[in-house]
């Protein structure tokens, strides 16, 4: 009986965590995070343009390096499409500064060291006692509404998916 109750409690906690994650059509949760250069960013400072808010697990890891470099290489195309890119992980500002310098990252990498924003976006997870943000991307329209959520992101393809989706949404008049 005790195992059954533990399993039910686990299911309820998991369901609550998933229910808290924003979905397409929701207003994007606000944030106030510092980037690798010490500048603060909020959702309001990014309004009026498309916003690509991508969460990633850890600076200097293989998949995260691939993802940041792919976004880096597509930055000009994304800006031409009217989009700003913000990468977010639980790493501190110093780690982001080193990561951005090593890979010549031209966009802000935001430090969510207390994991509050990752929790608001439903991407906070833990494995073997280590907390990190799951690799997920949120495409936010110029009014601040989430128009696309990318789960199980492929680090090499996500930037291209986002570009295609912005073009499609603009064509629909979104």
């Amino acid at each position: 009986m005790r195992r059954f109750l533990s399993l039910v409690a686990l299911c309820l906690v998991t369901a609550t965590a998933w229910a808290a994650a924003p979905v397409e059509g929701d207003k994007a949760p606000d944030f106030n995070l510092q980037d690798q250069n010490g500048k603060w960013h909020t959702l309001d400072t990014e309004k009026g343009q498309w916003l690509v808010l991508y969460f990633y697990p850890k600076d200097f890891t293989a998949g995260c390096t691939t993802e940041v470099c792919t976004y880096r290489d597509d930055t000009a195309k994304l800006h031409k499409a009217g989009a700003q890119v913000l990468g977010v992980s639980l790493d501190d500002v110093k780690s982001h500064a080193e990561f951005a310098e090593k890979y010549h990252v031209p966009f802000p990498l935001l430090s969510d060291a207390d994991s509050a924003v990752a929790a608001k976006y439903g991407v906070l997870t833990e494995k073997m006692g280590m907390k990190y943000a799951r690799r997920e991307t949120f495409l936010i329209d110029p009014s601040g509404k989430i128009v696309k959520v990318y789960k199980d992101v492929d680090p090499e393809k996500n930037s291209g998916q986002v570009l295609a989706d912005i073009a499609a949404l603009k064509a629909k008049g979104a």
Side-chain angles (χ1 to χ4, degrees):
M1 183 63 160
R2 188 179 285 184
R3 279 188 180 171
F4 174 75
L5 291 175
S6 295
L7 182 59
V8 169
L10 178 63
C11 289
L12 288 174
V13 168
T14 303
T16 302
W18 278 107
V23 296
E24 293 172 15
D26 286 353
K27 181 183 182 317
D30 199 11
F31 54 85
N32 186 22
L33 297 174
Q34 196 172 28
D35 71 17
Q36 71 268 29
N37 300 312
K39 182 179 176 193
W40 290 89
H41 297 262
T42 66
L43 185 61
D44 282 342
T45 61
E46 306 302 333
K47 270 197 177 160
Q49 62 186 340
W50 293 90
L51 179 61
V52 180
L53 189 66
Y54 84 90
F55 290 86
Y56 64 98
K58 187 111 180 93
D59 292 342
F60 298 104
T61 57
C64 299
T65 300
T66 297
E67 188 170 25
V68 80
C69 289
T70 303
Y71 271 109
R72 175 201 64 204
D73 295 346
D74 285 343
T75 296
K77 291 178 197 169
L78 287 155
H79 284 171
K80 188 175 180 182
Q84 166 68 308
V85 176
L86 299 175
V88 183
S89 80
L90 307 187
D91 295 302
D92 62 25
V93 170
K94 183 177 186 267
S95 178
H96 282 336
E98 293 167 358
F99 191 48
E101 183 178 345
K102 180 171 183 174
Y103 293 103
H104 310 286
V105 179
F107 55 84
L109 298 177
L110 306 182
S111 173
D112 184 23
D114 70 359
S115 66
V117 176
K120 280 187 197 180
Y121 278 82
V123 300
L124 184 62
T125 193
E126 188 174 331
K127 189 174 190 178
M128 296 178 2
M130 187 178 106
K131 282 199 274 186
Y132 62 95
R134 269 192 319 277
R135 189 181 315 281
E136 291 188 21
T137 302
F138 296 83
L139 179 57
I140 302 168
D141 75 7
S143 72
K145 183 176 75 171
I146 295 172
V147 293
K148 187 81 175 167
V149 178
Y150 305 83
K151 294 184 179 284
D152 301 320
V153 168
D154 180 327
E156 290 183 79
K157 296 179 180 171
N158 189 230
S159 181
Q161 293 169 320
V162 168
L163 279 164
D165 286 337
I166 290 171
L169 287 162
K170 283 180 167 183
K172 287 182 182 178

